[in-house]
Structures are given as structure tokens and as C-alpha cells.
Amino acid sequence: MDQRYTRFRNNTILVIIGNIGSKLMSFIMLPFYTRWLPIEGYGTVDIINIYVSFLIGVATCAIAESVFIFPKGQRVEKQKEYLNSGLLFMIMSFVVTLCIFMLIKFICDGKNIHNSFIDNIWLIYSILTTSALQQLVQQFTRSIDKIKVYSIAGVVLTGLTIGFSFIFIPKWGVGGYVAAMSLANVATVIYSLIASNSYTYFEFRYANIMSCRKMLSYSLPLVPNNIMWWLVSALNRPVMEIYLGMEAIGLFAVANKFPSVFSSVFAMFAVSWQISVMEEYGKDGYSQFFNKVFRIVILLMILASCFISILSPLIISVFANENYYESWKYVPVLSFSSVFMAISGMAGSNFSATKESKYFFYSSVWGALAAVIANIIFIPKIGTMGACFSVVLSFGVMSLSRCFYCWRYVKINNILRLMLSLVGNVMIIMLTLSSLYTSFKIVGYCLSFIFILYVNGDVLKQVFSVIKNEI
């Protein structure tokens, strides 16, 4: 087999080992979360994570992304410069964020302003700081090629989170959830530093303004991109809080948990994919390599979305408390957002390889505009299902724009055929979802599978060929 595919496969296996536990935790812990927390409580947990996902990039200027990009392949002294410059910048950002949070809390308490952000501001800060530090250490561990340590750290994080959850959540509810997450992050940071010997790189005398500026020149354009990405994937929660309440967020969060597992699996794959793209970009045969992997991965994501749509009522009944059962009807719609997210991630990997991070921002702007408009229109009129539609629409717009910008560096073959199979499948699933008859639903889901397999027959032949050669 071509060496580039072998390296890509090996990196993927190691990354999956390290992350599969944390992703499966969504399934493992969901029955317990939904038993320990009422629907409103689970909605609060979800919106806390939503605010953290927004603030972690803004507060730290996404410096952790540069801590992966710039030290990679450098001599030890340069690696120390980048790590210590990034760490010092992150610590300063924590102090600034703390001061801003204190000011916000003081003003809002004085004016008796209450919402999910103000009421949970210190819980948000706890997860924000510990998660950001854990991300920075993990990115540096990956940058210095300690992939095995990176993988085991994922297992450690999962195990500790589960253990702490059983200790704290039954006693303290939402506060216990935050305590479990924060302590698990801190313990994982300690493990990663020791196991990878990264602690030996900590010498603040190596920190300098020039290295910090260089890293920020790459990471700062990612901040607006992160904001746009948040608008695409998470704006619906604050809007739902205004119009529908925390119970609707709780149901949406449970429904979104299952499609997000596939997105998380893709995110694990994307870690090794990014490494391979950075190594292979510009070499002979790169376009063929990119297109082959792109088509196979997206087809598998489409098939996975169909599979989870069919089983959504059963999955919800098994993995969630009975009070959350009605959330199953949102799963089929949300599952397609993970496909569009994968298309965005695959196409966007070329922007990292060329260090043209501005295209992350450009494409995210289009998705964010679609998200803002769709959320404002759909959620007040059709409730939680409107939030689902807005997610699919915004990710669809983003994926198309990224494919357009990606065309500057590598042409994506048969993109129209791929979009045809996806759009056609969405239409079939939506028609099936509207039916009240079980037999009609079964026929509809079977037709969606047949349609996808027919349109993408050549890709399936490639997959079987690879499997045959491996065996």
C-alpha cells in the first residue's frame, strides 16, 4: 500500500484509541445524566458547554491551534519558544477574562439581571480555563509527535470524568457536572505533561514577543471563524432559551447527542487527516489522495446518518430517561448536519496546510449569516424543529462555501454527485419522518439507502478494493 495511506491509517488508529472513550462517554453516561438531572438541568449543562465553546476561542485567541502548527518539526529550542510564549499568553488571557467576568457579574447583580450565563458564570469560567489548558497541552503533545501519549490521555480524561461524575453529580447536580469536568481536565494535563516529558519544555525565559506575534498571526484569524462556527452550531440555544425555555434545550441536547457522536468520530479522524494533509500537500498525487479519502469518508457519514435516523426511537428509549423520549423526532434532521460538518472539515484541511486561515473565516461568515436568519425565522414559528432546520441549513451553506474556496488548492471531483445524494437523501428522510405509518417509514428509509448506494457505486467499489487488498 502507498506509504502515505499507511501513515494516515496508523495515525488514525492511534487518535481513535485516545478519543473513542471520551466520545462513547456520551452514550455511556447519558442514562445517568438524564436520571440525575431534570430536563431543565440537562438543558443548563448543555448551555454551559455552549458558552464555553464560544469563549474558549475568544478568550485565548485560539492560541492552542498555533501551539500545534508552529512547533511541529522544529528544533527543541524553537519548540520551547512557541510553547512558553503560548502558555504565558494563555495565563494572561485567564486573568483578563476573570476581571471581565467579575465586572459583568457585579453590574448584572446590581441591576437584577438573570439568565443562564449570569447565573452560571463561575461554573463557565471553571470549565473554560481547565479545558483551554488541557487543549494547549494536548496540542503540544501532538506537535512533538507523542501521539501515543495523546491517545492515552484521551482514555485518562474519559475515565476520570466518568468517575468524578458518579461522585459529584448525584450530590450537586449541575455544579457536580462542572466539578467532574474541571478536575478531569486538570488531572489529564498533569498526566500528559509527565508522560510526554513536556514539563521539561517549561522555561518561561524562552517566551518572547516575536514568537507570540507569529503564532497570533495564524490563530487570530481563527477567532472570528470560531465565532462564526459558534453562530452556526450553537446560536440556537440562547434563542431557544428566550422563546422556548430550558426544557426545550434539554430535549434538543439529548437529540443532538447521538448525531454528534458521528461528528465526534469524524473529529478524531480529522486529527490524523490534518497531519496527513500537512505532510502530503504539494507532493505528486496529492489531488488523487485527497479526493479518494474525501469521497469515501463522506459516503460513510451519509450512510451513518441514515442508520441513526432509522434507529432513533429505539436509541432514545434505550439511552435516555423516558421523560426525554420525544426528542427522537429531532435526531433524523440533526444527523444530516454532521455530514455537512464533515464536508466542511475535509475541505478546510487544505487551509491549514497552506496556512491560509482566512478562508476558515470567509466560509464561516456565510454559514453564520444563514444561521442567524434561520434561527430568527424558524424557532419562533416551529419551535425546536426550527432549531434543527437552522443547523442543517447553516452547515450546508458553510460546506458549499468551503468547497468553493478549497477549489483554489485542489479540485474536488464529482462534488455535484455527492451533493445530489445528500440532498436527495434529506428529502426522502423528511418525507418519511412526516408519515404516521411505520411500514411507510421502513420503505422510505430503505429507499434512501438504495438511492445513496446507487449514486455512489464507484466509491463503494474503492472501499471494497481497499478491504480486499488488506485481507
Side-chain angles (χ1 to χ4, degrees):
M1 181 183 288
D2 191 324
Q3 192 65 25
R4 70 184 76 188
Y5 292 101
T6 302
R7 288 197 304 271
F8 170 59
R9 180 193 60 192
N10 293 340
N11 286 334
T12 301
I13 291 173
L14 287 172
V15 170
I16 288 177
I17 291 173
N19 288 273
I20 191 66
S22 62
K23 309 312 176 186
L24 287 177
M25 187 177 68
S26 298
F27 279 122
I28 296 171
M29 295 302 296
L30 188 60
F32 299 101
Y33 288 151
T34 56
R35 185 179 68 184
W36 292 330
L37 299 169
I39 298 178
E40 295 84 354
Y42 195 81
T44 301
V45 165
D46 183 63
I47 205 165
I48 285 174
N49 286 322
I50 289 301
Y51 285 126
V52 169
S53 67
F54 171 75
L55 292 168
I56 199 168
V58 175
T60 65
C61 296
I63 197 71
E65 296 297 324
S66 291
V67 172
F68 166 66
I69 296 294
F70 287 91
K72 188 171 180 60
Q74 300 289 331
R75 52 191 174 85
V76 173
E77 288 75 13
K78 292 297 292 183
Q79 290 176 334
K80 288 182 177 180
E81 284 185 18
Y82 290 126
L83 173 62
N84 287 280
S85 299
L87 178 60
L88 186 60
F89 179 85
M90 182 171 283
I91 293 172
M92 293 172 60
S93 73
F94 290 163
V95 175
V96 172
T97 303
L98 176 62
C99 294
I100 294 174
F101 275 24
M102 291 175 65
L103 179 61
I104 292 174
K105 183 66 174 174
F106 176 77
I107 294 174
C108 291
D109 284 349
K111 295 186 177 182
N112 198 30
I113 298 174
H114 294 280
N115 55 45
S116 60
F117 178 77
I118 301 301
D119 294 342
N120 299 286
I121 193 168
W122 301 123
L123 301 181
I124 293 169
Y125 185 79
S126 177
I127 297 183
L128 167 65
T129 52
T130 56
S131 296
L133 186 61
Q134 195 264 345
Q135 284 184 13
L136 183 139
V137 172
Q138 289 296 86
Q139 291 285 47
F140 183 73
T141 300
R142 189 160 62 104
S143 182
I144 60 176
D145 296 325
K146 299 290 185 178
I147 301 296
K148 290 184 179 179
V149 175
Y150 174 88
S151 300
I152 296 174
V155 178
V156 172
L157 179 62
T158 301
L160 290 174
T161 301
I162 292 175
F164 289 139
S165 294
F166 276 94
I167 295 172
F168 297 125
I169 298 180
K171 295 181 179 180
W172 301 337
V174 174
Y177 172 87
V178 173
M181 294 294 294
S182 300
L183 289 173
N185 280 328
V186 172
T188 304
V189 167
I190 295 172
Y191 164 77
S192 298
L193 292 176
I194 295 174
S196 66
N197 291 322
S198 296
Y199 69 92
T200 62
Y201 290 77
F202 286 154
E203 296 182 53
F204 281 118
R205 63 188 179 90
Y206 280 95
N208 62 78
I209 295 177
M210 294 303 297
S211 294
C212 190
R213 284 179 178 176
K214 189 175 182 180
M215 289 192 293
L216 287 174
S217 68
Y218 174 80
S219 66
L220 273 175
L222 298 177
V223 175
N225 172 70
N226 289 342
I227 295 174
M228 297 301 108
W229 187 271
W230 185 87
L231 291 173
V232 169
S233 61
L235 175 65
N236 50 26
R237 292 348 182 267
V239 177
M240 289 172 69
E241 181 182 3
I242 295 172
Y243 288 100
L244 307 176
M246 298 304 296
E247 184 172 335
I249 296 177
L251 293 174
F252 180 91
V254 169
N256 195 45
K257 188 68 67 176
F258 300 96
S260 68
V261 169
F262 290 106
S263 298
S264 299
V265 171
F266 172 79
M268 292 186 290
F269 157 83
V271 172
S272 57
W273 172 245
Q274 186 182 39
I275 295 173
S276 293
V277 169
M278 292 180 67
E279 291 175 346
E280 301 300 330
Y281 182 80
K283 297 181 181 179
D284 292 339
Y286 172 73
S287 179
Q288 181 181 6
F289 168 69
F290 175 87
N291 275 282
K292 184 175 182 180
V293 178
F294 180 90
R295 287 289 305 282
I296 292 174
V297 169
I298 300 305
L299 174 59
L300 292 176
M301 290 291 291
I302 294 174
L303 292 173
S305 69
C306 292
F307 182 74
I308 197 173
S309 296
I310 294 173
L311 297 180
S312 56
L314 176 63
I315 292 173
I316 293 294
S317 64
V318 171
F319 287 98
N321 184 281
E322 60 183 6
N323 295 328
Y324 295 80
Y325 180 73
E326 69 173 282
S327 62
W328 77 264
K329 60 187 177 182
Y330 308 122
V331 175
V333 182
L334 289 171
S335 65
F336 291 106
S337 66
S338 63
V339 180
F340 286 121
M341 188 184 301
I343 294 173
S344 298
M346 294 287 288
S349 60
N350 292 284
F351 308 151
S352 296
T354 58
K355 293 184 172 62
E356 293 288 351
S357 55
K358 62 184 179 183
Y359 292 118
F360 286 117
F361 174 65
Y362 294 162
S363 56
S364 297
V365 166
W366 294 111
L369 288 173
V372 171
I373 295 172
N375 280 306
I376 293 174
I377 294 175
F378 292 142
I379 291 179
K381 292 185 177 180
I382 53 178
T384 306
M385 188 61 76
C388 299
F389 287 149
S390 68
V391 171
V392 175
L393 178 62
S394 54
F395 274 117
V397 171
M398 179 187 290
S399 64
L400 287 173
S401 61
R402 285 200 177 177
C403 289
F404 172 77
Y405 292 123
C406 174
W407 206 267
R408 299 166 185 259
Y409 306 106
V410 57
K411 291 180 172 58
I412 303 177
N413 299 330
N414 299 314
I415 186 66
L416 292 178
R417 182 189 299 180
L418 179 65
M419 289 299 177
L420 173 64
S421 63
L422 183 55
V423 172
N425 194 49
V426 169
M427 294 175 64
I428 294 174
I429 292 293
M430 291 306 301
L431 290 173
T432 304
L433 183 65
S434 63
S435 174
L436 299 176
Y437 301 100
T438 302
S439 58
F440 184 82
K441 291 181 179 180
I442 294 174
V443 172
Y445 288 134
C446 290
L447 287 175
S448 68
F449 271 113
I450 294 172
F451 177 75
I452 293 170
L453 297 178
Y454 174 76
V455 175
N456 296 278
D458 58 327
V459 182
L460 288 174
K461 291 180 181 178
Q462 292 180 359
V463 174
F464 291 137
S465 177
V466 170
I467 295 174
K468 183 179 180 180
N469 291 336
E470 285 294 307
I471 295 175

